[in-house]
Amino acid sequence: MTSSSSVRQAREALGKRLREMRKDSGLTARELAARSGWHESKCSRIENGRTGPSDEDLRVWTLHCGAEGQTADLIATARNIDGAHVEWRRLERSGLRRAQESVIPLWERTRHFRAYSSWLIPGPLQTRAYIEVLLRTIRDRRALPDDLEEAVQVRVDKQRILHEGPRRFALILEESALRHRIGGPATMAGQLGHLLSLATLPNVSLGVIPLNADRTALWPVEDFWIFDDAQVNIELVSAFLTITQPHEISMYAHTFADLADLAVYGASARALITAAIDSLG
């Protein structure tokens, strides 16, 4: 997967806007390409959303279409589209600390957090030992600059949002997330014990979907975070996705609600966590 449907749709919408601008100017795609010094297929690729235009492409486009007053807005629109799909190698080129810091403004302005995870304990609920294992593994797998200690500290410091302001956290875990052994038995025992403690916070709702739940109607999906009703973030193997299309956010919100209906809470959730601790031996 190289882009989300929201990225694709946004590029197509931008392309349609540029096509209308070109037609309003009376230019054919071939004429615009010739004046711009481009291969004649470039206009078609941009207008159909197959190629994202660079800042310079947009300056040239508006110049020849007599619409230079729209240049700044078009550049801002294109940059927002590019920011929706950011490859890890771009975000982490200077190390892991930058990637950890990049989401702090979003977390600070959000009041209602919803998260679903099938394979890891979500970030705000992680222990320092669990965080260190995760980030060290990412550093080594991706051969990144070594700023591990700084990156771990940023993530630990970010957990203050659990205790600051009128924030609510609704977290749904698959039972499998309790069973995946990250960092060995001691690290997992500490992590699961920490999870039991945080589940008692009044602003935290923790649900666990049991392994034996009937998944006929809804099977596990990709892990995701919903920030208020403003955006959804998804971590892929290759990239970090930001979804802002309202209809897509609504789809994730409905999916979260359906997943929440499959989960157990309170004493039943704590029993599953305790059983996972006991299984560590």
Side-chain angles (χ1 to χ4, degrees):
M1 181 175 182
T2 57
S3 65
S4 71
S5 59
S6 61
V7 173
R8 183 170 59 253
Q9 290 174 4
R11 283 184 176 156
E12 290 172 353
L14 176 59
K16 181 179 179 181
R17 182 176 171 186
L18 292 171
R19 181 188 299 113
E20 292 171 350
M21 180 185 295
R22 173 183 58 75
K23 289 183 175 180
D24 288 344
S25 74
L27 291 174
T28 66
R30 179 172 293 180
E31 288 169 340
L32 177 56
R35 292 188 185 189
S36 304
W38 298 338
H39 188 279
E40 63 182 34
S41 67
K42 182 169 181 175
C43 287
S44 176
R45 295 198 307 272
I46 290 175
E47 290 182 355
N48 288 294
R50 293 195 298 270
T51 297
S54 68
D55 290 1
E56 184 59 24
D57 290 338
L58 293 170
R59 293 188 185 99
V60 171
W61 195 292
T62 54
L63 172 65
H64 292 305
C65 292
E68 292 173 276
Q70 298 187 49
T71 304
D73 183 59
L74 288 167
I75 288 174
T77 298
R79 287 180 178 177
N80 285 337
I81 294 171
D82 289 340
H85 178 270
V86 182
E87 291 188 39
W88 290 119
R89 63 181 180 179
R90 172 181 161 193
L91 189 59
E92 299 171 344
R93 60 179 177 267
S94 61
L96 286 165
R97 177 179 177 177
R98 181 185 172 214
Q100 297 301 312
E101 291 176 334
S102 66
V103 298
I104 290 176
L106 170 64
W107 286 65
E108 289 182 337
R109 66 176 178 264
T110 299
R111 291 297 176 263
H112 184 201
F113 297 77
R114 284 166 285 179
Y116 164 78
S117 182
S118 63
W119 61 286
L120 288 177
I121 306 302
L125 309 182
Q126 294 171 358
T127 63
R128 177 181 286 271
Y130 191 90
I131 292 169
E132 187 171 345
V133 170
L134 290 176
L135 295 186
R136 181 187 298 114
T137 301
I138 293 172
R139 178 201 64 186
D140 294 346
R141 185 190 310 129
R142 297 177 184 162
L144 300 175
D146 187 6
D147 61 351
L148 179 64
E149 291 186 13
E150 295 90 340
V152 169
Q153 191 59 51
V154 170
R155 181 172 283 195
V156 170
D157 291 343
K158 192 170 63 177
Q159 294 177 344
R160 61 184 166 73
I161 64 165
L162 279 170
H163 310 284
E164 292 181 356
R167 295 185 174 93
R168 294 178 294 131
F169 296 81
L171 308 166
I172 304 297
L173 306 181
E174 299 282 351
E175 187 179 351
S176 56
L178 309 176
R179 299 284 180 164
H180 291 154
R181 297 196 176 190
I182 306 295
T187 296
M188 279 305 299
Q191 175 58 76
L192 294 173
H194 186 59
L195 190 62
L196 284 172
S197 175
L198 293 179
T200 65
L201 292 176
N203 62 330
V204 173
S205 170
L206 178 64
V208 180
I209 301 176
L211 288 170
N212 62 1
D214 186 343
R215 307 307 293 268
T216 305
L218 183 62
W219 48 88
V221 299
E222 67 272 17
D223 292 4
F224 61 88
W225 280 86
I226 307 175
F227 299 90
D228 292 325
D229 290 314
Q231 74 181 60
V232 175
N233 284 355
I234 304 167
E235 295 187 8
L236 305 177
V237 171
S238 63
F240 182 80
L241 281 188
T242 299
I243 291 174
T244 57
Q245 293 280 351
H247 75 277
E248 287 197 276
I249 294 173
S250 178
M251 288 177 66
Y252 276 94
H254 285 304
T255 298
F256 184 86
D258 290 340
L259 289 164
D261 287 342
L262 292 172
V264 297
Y265 301 85
S268 296
R270 291 193 296 273
L272 293 175
I273 297 171
T274 301
I277 296 173
D278 293 340
S279 74
L280 295 170

